[in-house]
Amino acid sequence: MWFLTRLCRLFDIKNQVDPKRRLKRETGVMMKIVSIVGARPQFVKAAPVSKALRRRHHEFLVHTGQHYDEEMSQIFFDELEIPRPDMNLGVGSGSHARQTADMLVGIEKIINQQQPDIVFIYGDTNSTLAGAIAASKLQVCVAHVEAGLRSYNRMMPEEINRIMADKISTFLFCPTKSAVGNLGREGIIDGVYHTGDVMIDALLQFSELAQKRSAIMDKLNLKDKDYILLTLHRAQNTDSSANMTNIVNALVHCKKNIIFPVHPRTKKYLDEYGLMGKLSDAGNLRLIAPISYLDMIMLEKHAEKIVTDSGGVQKEAYFFKVPCITMRGETEWVETVQDGWNILVGADYESIVMAIRDFNPSTEQHQHYGDGTASHNICSILEKEIKS
Ligand code: UD1
């Protein structure tokens, strides 16, 4: 039977049969899935989805190796109880071209070996793009989790990754209604579903565990609402010495107690620009190594404010009703700004200082990001699709 199905598949590929049609004909109820992850936020997104998929389907998990330090990778697998990757491509760091190219070669090989019915990709990293290209060129269905987000800033490598991945994905699972609207404006309508955000699933699933297991508040001797949490790693900021100088000056000037888990990329640039000494001498900033997901949840929940240039952290701040100051000119999570809980300050010295001092929203919030059932919705949609 297996042999016959695979033979059919080879025939379909040769004759350019639509991958979605093949998904229906071949799989029956159980799907064989290859999931591609590689960078820190993808481990968080994949955790609830993988759990939901594995209840009824077979998943082969691929780690591209984009993030490789213990505290950027392994700790997430341990804490979130994500099964060990079946394959680690070990691509490591490098230029965008080298990193993506190495991933492409590795993923293509795995798809040829595993012959999956569908390939899952997450978010907007180079691992996302490589997964989308490799699978679609082999005429395998691509499911993009967190589809449709746009910053409309093509200076961001993530924006290029999103646009490309969405163009060639078969199933586009959108976290928000605005993401569905973004795709519609680009003429992408087929296969688009509003599912809610899998990061909210993860937050709801792991918040209680974080409360029980994380000792970070005691370890750092922190009190509720008595510190500001800072994250900073976007290329737009880190790769510009002018932006980094403005940000560092603003943080030092505000004299607030700031906790700063430092991403390895940021550390590299702070050293290069000679700003590390200024930060560590300032007295109000505590620089710590990158932290785990459970520790991050606790630090976010108890922060007075969060200053960040991350995507996911903006939503987590909104979820915990913590004012968020975003050091970017735009955001994909527009609802957080529209509701008044997030303010965009770029890398502007004055705006950062003022927001840290004065930004205190108290407006009503809405359930823009779903109710924690996004992973379940994704599974149900695919299962319905197979049977239809
Ligand atoms: C990547 C994603 C970004 C995501 C972020 C989450 C792309 C284009 N960017 O950015 O969307 O928000 O992950 O963290 O895919 N490094 C280490 N150890 C590691 C990983 C990285 O030291 O385990 C250092 C290396 O010096 C590397 C640099 O960090 O050159 C940047 O890593 P890279 O994977 O290129 O991108 P991120 O900045 O992490």
Side-chain angles (χ1 to χ4, degrees):
M1 184 60 194
W2 177 87
F3 178 72
L4 265 181
T5 342
R6 297 300 141 187
L7 202 67
C8 269
R9 176 181 199 91
L10 286 176
F11 176 81
D12 283 351
I13 290 173
K14 212 164 154 246
N15 291 284
Q16 301 286 306
V17 171
D18 171 22
K20 211 164 162 185
R21 224 180 77 202
R22 216 169 47 236
L23 178 78
K24 286 178 202 190
R25 211 178 65 196
E26 278 193 4
T27 48
V29 179
M30 182 162 124
M31 285 182 288
K32 182 159 184 189
I33 298 153
V34 163
S35 299
I36 314 287
V37 294
R40 200 163 51 165
Q42 290 170 325
F43 310 140
V44 176
K45 290 165 198 170
V49 179
S50 175
K51 198 166 145 195
L53 288 174
R54 283 180 189 233
R55 286 196 191 112
R56 276 192 291 279
H57 306 283
H58 180 268
E59 184 187 41
F60 186 95
L61 185 61
V62 181
H63 187 328
T64 61
Q66 177 168 355
H67 285 172
Y68 43 86
D69 289 345
E70 161 81 20
E71 67 268 24
M72 298 286 285
S73 175
Q74 188 55 46
I75 194 162
F76 287 79
F77 282 80
D78 297 343
E79 268 191 350
L80 307 184
E81 290 173 359
I82 308 168
R84 263 175 71 86
D86 296 284
M87 179 69 76
N88 190 322
L89 300 176
V91 299
S93 303
S95 72
H96 287 276
R98 212 276 293 147
Q99 199 179 47
T100 314
D102 286 355
M103 290 174 192
L104 259 173
V105 174
I107 296 169
E108 181 185 64
K109 212 169 166 182
I110 290 167
I111 294 176
N112 277 326
Q113 282 164 357
Q114 295 297 318
Q115 297 278 309
D117 300 303
I118 189 159
V119 168
F120 264 69
I121 54 170
Y122 293 88
D124 55 18
T125 73
N126 291 343
S127 302
T128 316
L129 178 63
I133 296 176
S136 58
K137 285 212 170 178
L138 292 171
Q139 275 102 53
V140 175
C141 279
V142 178
H144 185 196
V145 178
E146 211 183 70
L149 294 181
R150 295 290 181 269
S151 64
Y152 298 102
N153 174 0
R154 292 207 184 180
M155 298 295 283
M156 295 173 68
E158 292 86 356
E159 182 76 353
I160 311 287
N161 292 341
R162 288 178 198 129
I163 293 171
M164 302 292 288
D166 284 341
K167 263 288 193 257
I168 54 182
S169 289
T170 330
F171 295 97
L172 298 104
F173 296 126
C174 299
T176 57
K177 285 185 191 151
S178 60
V180 174
N182 293 339
L183 291 175
R185 278 187 291 280
E186 290 173 25
I188 306 175
I189 294 160
D190 266 3
V192 174
Y193 301 90
H194 176 215
T195 56
D197 185 356
V198 298
M199 283 191 97
I200 299 300
D201 296 14
L203 267 186
L204 288 167
Q205 286 175 24
F206 292 103
S207 283
E208 208 175 303
L209 192 67
Q211 193 76 40
K212 276 192 209 139
R213 290 227 190 122
S214 168
I216 191 89
M217 294 293 290
D218 287 342
K219 198 169 136 197
L220 299 177
N221 198 15
L222 294 171
K223 289 196 195 77
D224 188 39
K225 307 294 168 200
D226 202 23
Y227 63 91
I228 285 175
L229 176 64
L230 168 71
T231 84
L232 168 62
H233 77 275
R234 285 274 166 198
Q236 281 159 295
N237 284 326
T238 57
D239 300 10
S240 151
S241 82
N243 283 358
M244 289 295 269
T245 305
N246 283 346
I247 291 170
V248 166
N249 285 339
L251 297 170
V252 169
H253 174 90
C254 80
K255 299 201 171 66
K256 288 270 192 179
N257 182 19
I258 298 177
I259 305 297
F260 181 18
V262 190
H263 186 293
R265 141 184 232 122
T266 313
K267 182 175 179 314
K268 191 171 90 184
Y269 283 104
L270 285 170
D271 284 332
E272 201 175 302
Y273 304 145
L275 291 166
M276 198 47 123
K278 189 164 194 173
L279 274 184
S280 24
D281 293 347
N284 65 321
L285 275 120
R286 278 166 82 182
L287 278 59
I288 58 174
I291 51 173
S292 75
Y293 182 60
L294 298 187
D295 285 347
M296 190 64 181
I297 287 181
M298 292 309 283
L299 286 188
E300 287 172 343
K301 187 174 168 185
H302 293 287
E304 177 196 343
K305 287 177 189 170
I306 295 178
V307 181
T308 189
D309 60 3
S310 150
V313 173
Q314 295 172 53
K315 254 176 322 172
E316 287 163 354
Y318 183 84
F319 178 87
F320 288 122
K321 294 196 167 72
V322 174
C324 186
I325 298 162
T326 299
M327 296 180 294
R328 288 176 49 195
E330 68 290 304
T331 179
E332 303 78 27
W333 306 104
V334 288
E335 304 80 8
T336 59
V337 176
Q338 284 157 3
D339 277 3
W341 282 85
N342 187 6
I343 184 169
L344 302 175
V345 293
D348 182 64
Y349 172 89
E350 288 289 338
S351 307
I352 298 172
V353 171
M354 272 170 60
I356 291 179
R357 198 188 55 210
D358 300 330
F359 183 55
N360 282 308
S362 58
T363 40
E364 196 194 336
Q365 289 203 346
H366 301 89
Q367 214 176 47
H368 300 292
Y369 303 112
D371 56 2
T373 57
S375 315
H376 169 81
N377 297 339
I378 288 169
C379 273
S380 306
I381 289 164
L382 283 178
E383 286 167 2
K384 235 187 245 162
E385 187 69 35
I386 295 168
K387 287 183 200 152
S388 67

